[in-house]
Amino acid sequence: MSFRDSGIYSLLARLGAGLRGTWQAADQVARDKAVNTLEAELEEMETIFAVLVQGAFIGLPAPPAQISLDLLPIMEEDLVLLLDRVDTANEPLSRLFSVFEVS
């Protein structure tokens, strides 16, 4: 009777397959969370960039007007993002809680 023919081999094979499946699932969940966090961080950086460049419209010190006007066609999406942020401007912590799943 060899080791392959015994029930221990099949038990170990099933245990190994189960552990691999669990590890793959945990890895996928971690990757998804990392991607979601990076997307939220990128969106925040784009907002900060838009505020820095177009800050003159809301009363912040800004780069020279010529630079802002030259960047306006390129920053159409950023301006739309800033307008969307007006809705959540009064509750900035709620956005962080939704991104980082704080409970």
Side-chain angles (χ1 to χ4, degrees):
M1 177 179 221
S2 70
F3 181 70
R4 276 193 187 263
D5 295 336
S6 69
I8 294 173
Y9 181 76
S10 64
L11 177 67
L12 289 175
R14 282 187 285 146
L15 181 63
L19 287 174
R20 262 191 307 280
T22 303
W23 181 260
Q24 289 172 346
D27 183 55
Q28 187 63 39
V29 167
R31 287 175 190 261
D32 287 344
K33 279 188 168 186
V35 168
N36 290 339
T37 302
L38 285 174
E39 286 175 347
E41 190 171 330
L42 175 65
E43 189 176 325
E44 289 296 322
M45 290 177 145
E46 288 174 345
T47 302
I48 291 169
F49 176 74
V51 168
L52 287 174
V53 174
Q54 305 297 333
F57 296 119
I58 58 172
L60 294 175
Q66 184 61 35
I67 294 173
S68 295
L69 291 175
D70 287 343
L71 289 174
L72 252 161
I74 300 169
M75 295 188 63
E76 180 180 358
E77 291 178 19
D78 295 324
L79 291 174
V80 171
L81 179 68
L82 285 175
L83 290 173
D84 289 342
R85 288 295 175 99
V86 170
D87 295 335
T88 59
N90 294 332
E91 301 173 9
L93 288 178
S94 64
R95 179 152 178 81
L96 285 176
F97 285 135
S98 67
V99 170
F100 294 119
E101 298 178 16
V102 177
S103 55

